[in-house]
Amino acid sequence: MFRKTLVVVLAVVLFGAGSVFAAASADEVESAEEAVGSAQVSANSVEPNLSQTVEPNLSKAVGPTLEDNWNDFLHYTKIGRLDLAKGYAQAILTEGPDPVRVLALSEENQPGYALLLKVIENTNDTELAELGKKLLAVIEEGRFIRRADPKVIVEEIKRLSGTERGRLAAVKHLQSAGEYAVMFMLDAMADTARKDELPNIIWALPQIGRDAIRPLTAALQTDNVGVKSEIIIALGKIRYPQVLPYLKYILEKDDSPQLRGLAEESIKQIDPAAMKISAAELFYQLAENYYYHSESLQAAEDANFANIWFWDSAGRRLTREKVDKRYFNELMAMRACEWALKADVEFGQAIGLWLAAFFKAQSTGLNMPEYFGIAHADAAVYATTAGPEYLHQALARAVKDKNAYVALGVVDALAANAGEKSLLYRLGIDQPLVQALSFDSRAVRYSAAIAIAAAGPKEAFPEAKLVVENLVEAISGADVNSDANTGWNRQLADSYAVRSAEVMLKLAQTRNPVIDLSAAKDTLISATKDKREQIRILAGEVLAHLDSPDAQRAIAAMALAEDNSMAVRVAAFESLATSAKLNANLLEDEKVDAIYSLVGSRKTDPKLRSAAATAYGALNLPSRKVKNLILDQAKS
């Protein structure tokens, strides 16, 4: 008993008593932060059954409540007993608590909530920090559930037409509900049986603020002129520039003079200068802002998803599609581009941005949203269909942004459907594909080089050397270590090496006058000893077209090397025959004799012997060697 009393006295001296943590002051939170940062304080001597003050929590005799665990978590965090704090945090999470109730507890104790945030941000105890993050996620879930609850929203809309006090309280709750309130407010506005409520709903609608913009702009597709008029007016009062393209679209396209007049008034309230800009251009600007994740366009933070709003013409009401936040901005950029094209079908810039946004959305690795539908094609299909002009727009953006995924997707599409003139297309003073030859990403550089080489350019351009340099780098397999950040790995490196060698062979066979492969000779000679069989064979085939003694001798060495497989040796002799036909004999006598020995030996594999004989004949050597071959086989 004496020991317990002493502990209580020490606790009082060290941490203060007389008030539970549930009523902690800001000063207490500040001192608690210090305790969180240094868990190994003298408080470790405090007995583990301390309550929020210093007395045991008697309620625990019948089992702790959610409130008990919450307050004990905060208390032990405050006094630096992080081991006990973790236990209570885990107890809350294990219970699977009602998120709305946890939210209420956090709101009742603002200093405690502030301490939870400090735990997440500052503690050196990573386990406690993770538990804190999970608790915060529960609180945020509660915040979302409460504000998105349809029953609550419907009741608050009705309260708008009650007492003045109820009206003011209701609009605050509807502001908290944000975008979720708009659907029900518009339903009420369209309901002729509720026309008495209409003035109050109209009064409240613009007060929802920025959160209302996305559902309201989607609802502009309604055919209810009265409701549409009020939406236009509300958007003007909200005064955010992202509504301007939708209003300008009405001004340009709507048949109703009344609606066009309201749209003009609202535009002038927000930004009169927008009157001189087309709807297509305004939508394009909006799409770019989404593409670059403008802060003012971000989805609400209290949910782990975002909403994309649509107008259901059949149901005559708003609907929403939940999408992952990781590609929400890209999907909205695509929608804004689509509206730009609706406003002006000739506004081609929107196509390039749409393609870039689609590739950027795909780069997340997520499945595309459900509203795309099962048969919706992927970005590559649209890209290959789009044509070089729009692909170069997308590529120029990707190069500027250093976005490897988008750049690679666009380059591959260009390679599939563009010729020389299309590939070397100029966008202003820039040539996007040529710029891609200097991109940070190896995959983009190599793909650009392969695309240009495969087109077989006939007109010289300054960056032709870069094409060869990238093909050479790809074949050599330099720096093939896997990189999780870029997706680079051995398999990809091998694929680019083969593709580069194949396109080099095409250049060599067609004797391309622009891309000089002589700069690749040393790499190709080294490649005849590569570990990859296919690379060795292709290197020999390319070398066969180079007028160089070193090239021909490297092919012969590969053919004569007994440690090479039969397939490699036969292919090398075939390349040697090609080299000899094109460039005559450039071999030393030693190698000629070695080939002769293979041809003359009955022990040589017939297939290899035949290939060696073909090469030997192509070398067009003096008749003495052939005479010896004939006489060596004679019986008399």
Side-chain angles (χ1 to χ4, degrees):
M1 182 65 185
F2 174 76
R3 181 174 178 272
K4 185 170 184 178
T5 301
L6 178 59
V7 169
V8 171
V9 171
L10 286 171
V12 170
V13 172
L14 288 169
F15 310 111
S19 64
V20 295
F21 184 74
S25 68
D27 290 340
E28 287 175 305
V29 172
E30 186 176 349
S31 65
E33 293 168 18
E34 298 175 4
V36 170
S38 55
Q40 303 302 319
V41 294
S42 59
N44 286 335
S45 63
V46 180
E47 291 188 356
N49 65 345
L50 282 177
S51 70
Q52 294 172 17
T53 59
V54 291
E55 293 298 325
N57 192 333
L58 298 178
S59 67
K60 292 181 175 59
V62 292
T65 64
L66 173 62
E67 186 172 2
D68 292 334
N69 287 333
W70 174 255
N71 286 331
D72 284 343
F73 161 69
L74 294 175
H75 171 68
Y76 286 115
T77 300
K78 173 194 171 186
I79 68 172
R81 286 302 306 271
L82 305 189
D83 53 336
L84 296 176
K86 285 183 277 191
Y88 286 112
Q90 189 60 62
I92 295 170
L93 295 167
T94 302
E95 181 184 333
D98 175 4
V100 176
R101 180 58 188 142
V102 180
L103 170 64
L105 288 172
S106 71
E107 290 177 335
E108 291 165 8
N109 184 354
Q110 289 298 321
Y113 179 73
L115 181 56
L116 172 63
L117 297 180
K118 291 296 181 182
V119 164
I120 294 170
E121 294 172 3
N122 297 334
T123 184
N124 293 322
D125 190 320
T126 55
E127 183 182 359
L128 183 61
E130 285 302 312
L131 290 169
K133 289 177 184 177
K134 291 178 181 178
L135 287 174
L136 183 61
V138 173
I139 291 171
E140 293 303 323
E141 183 183 356
R143 203 184 307 279
F144 166 73
I145 291 171
R146 188 172 66 183
R147 85 181 186 96
D149 188 338
K151 293 181 180 178
V152 174
I153 292 171
V154 169
E155 286 302 315
E156 295 300 341
I157 294 172
K158 291 178 180 177
R159 284 182 71 198
L160 287 171
S161 299
T163 65
E164 181 63 21
R165 185 175 179 180
R167 182 173 181 242
L168 294 174
V171 79
K172 286 184 179 179
H173 286 129
L174 292 172
Q175 286 171 340
S176 176
E179 60 183 335
Y180 298 98
V182 174
M183 177 194 303
F184 300 99
M185 294 176 80
L186 295 182
D187 285 347
M189 290 168 64
D191 188 348
T192 55
R194 300 177 67 177
K195 61 182 179 180
D196 292 343
E197 299 177 50
L198 189 58
N200 293 308
I201 299 173
I202 291 171
W203 167 79
L205 188 60
Q207 296 187 61
I208 304 301
R210 185 173 66 182
D211 277 358
I213 290 174
R214 276 186 281 265
L216 283 178
T217 51
L220 284 171
Q221 297 172 74
T222 179
D223 58 4
N224 186 319
V225 175
V227 172
K228 190 170 182 176
S229 297
E230 297 303 336
I231 293 172
I232 293 170
I233 294 169
L235 290 172
K237 290 179 179 178
I238 292 174
R239 297 192 178 216
Y240 273 89
Q242 55 260 46
V243 309
L244 289 170
Y246 300 95
L247 295 173
K248 193 64 187 293
Y249 184 87
I250 292 172
L251 185 58
E252 292 178 0
K253 301 287 186 179
D254 206 284
D255 294 331
S256 167
Q258 175 194 343
L259 294 177
R260 292 200 305 271
L262 290 172
E264 182 174 347
E265 282 183 40
S266 289
I267 290 170
K268 289 178 178 178
Q269 287 182 64
I270 301 166
D271 182 6
M275 292 294 296
K276 298 179 180 179
I277 306 173
S278 70
E281 176 64 34
L282 289 169
F283 274 119
Y284 180 76
Q285 292 173 8
L286 178 62
E288 279 203 313
N289 287 335
Y290 270 116
Y291 187 87
Y292 291 112
H293 293 214
S294 173
E295 188 175 347
S296 65
L297 297 173
Q298 296 311 297
E301 296 180 357
D302 62 354
N304 58 5
F305 61 87
N307 294 310
I308 294 183
W309 293 89
F310 296 89
W311 182 254
D312 178 3
S313 298
R316 305 185 75 183
R317 73 190 308 257
L318 282 168
T319 61
R320 66 184 175 95
E321 292 278 351
K322 290 166 54 175
V323 300
D324 196 294
K325 281 185 174 181
R326 285 173 286 179
Y327 59 19
F328 167 72
N329 287 278
E330 286 67 37
L331 296 174
M332 288 300 297
M334 292 172 70
R335 293 200 71 204
C337 287
E338 291 157 12
W339 275 103
L341 292 171
K342 289 178 184 178
D344 181 0
V345 71
E346 300 297 327
F347 199 83
Q349 291 169 274
I351 298 174
L353 180 53
W354 188 91
L355 291 169
F358 199 169
F359 275 117
K360 197 176 174 191
Q362 280 190 179
S363 72
T364 61
L366 301 168
N367 292 329
M368 289 299 104
E370 290 185 9
Y371 70 80
F372 270 37
I374 297 174
H376 197 290
D378 62 14
V381 171
Y382 287 97
T384 51
T385 307
E389 178 183 354
Y390 307 117
L391 289 174
H392 279 289
Q393 292 174 10
L395 181 56
R397 185 179 301 277
V399 169
K400 182 188 73 173
D401 298 342
K402 297 184 178 180
N403 188 312
Y405 188 97
V406 175
L408 185 58
V410 175
V411 169
D412 285 345
L414 279 168
N417 68 4
E420 176 192 357
K421 290 186 178 179
S422 298
L423 288 173
L424 300 179
Y425 177 89
R426 285 192 180 275
L427 201 62
I429 62 172
D430 297 324
Q431 290 178 286
L433 191 61
V434 171
Q435 290 177 321
L437 293 169
S438 302
F439 202 83
D440 289 343
S441 163
R442 285 169 293 200
V444 174
R445 290 200 311 273
Y446 298 165
S447 292
I450 291 168
I452 293 172
K458 302 294 188 295
E459 296 182 12
F461 59 101
E463 295 82 1
K465 289 182 179 179
L466 278 177
V467 174
V468 178
E469 288 176 11
N470 279 295
L471 296 177
V472 163
E473 183 182 323
I475 289 175
S476 66
D479 190 18
V480 293
N481 295 327
S482 295
D483 185 341
N485 294 325
T486 62
W488 191 257
N489 54 45
R490 168 60 73 177
Q491 183 178 2
L492 199 57
D494 289 348
S495 171
Y496 274 108
V498 171
R499 289 172 61 194
S500 295
E502 287 174 340
V503 80
M504 273 192 180
L505 179 58
K506 180 181 177 182
L507 289 169
Q509 289 171 337
T510 57
R511 302 182 183 226
N512 186 272
V514 175
I515 299 178
D516 182 8
L517 292 179
S518 63
K521 182 188 69 175
D522 291 342
T523 296
L524 291 168
I525 288 173
S526 297
T528 62
K529 299 178 182 177
D530 197 280
K531 294 178 180 178
R532 298 163 292 186
E533 234 179 52
Q534 191 175 5
I535 295 298
R536 274 179 276 166
I537 292 172
L538 285 167
E541 291 175 339
V542 178
L543 286 169
H545 293 80
L546 300 186
D547 185 6
S548 162
D550 291 340
Q552 191 176 97
R553 290 165 189 174
I555 298 170
M558 182 168 60
L560 293 167
E562 294 182 358
D563 55 347
N564 276 332
S565 68
M566 185 62 63
V568 170
R569 296 184 73 185
V570 169
F573 273 123
E574 290 172 352
S575 294
L576 181 58
T578 300
S579 176
K581 292 173 187 175
L582 294 174
N583 307 305
N585 173 33
L586 301 173
L587 297 181
E588 314 98 317
D589 287 344
E590 178 185 355
K591 282 190 171 57
V592 172
D593 291 341
I595 297 170
Y596 175 79
S597 297
L598 280 177
V599 176
S601 173
R602 296 182 181 181
K603 295 180 180 179
T604 303
D605 180 280
K607 192 172 182 180
L608 180 64
R609 190 180 188 187
S610 174
T614 300
Y616 191 88
L619 290 169
N620 196 23
L621 295 165
S623 60
R624 178 178 59 84
K625 289 287 187 182
V626 180
K627 178 197 70 175
N628 292 341
L629 186 63
I630 293 172
L631 294 179
D632 285 346
Q633 61 83 48
K635 290 184 179 180
S636 57

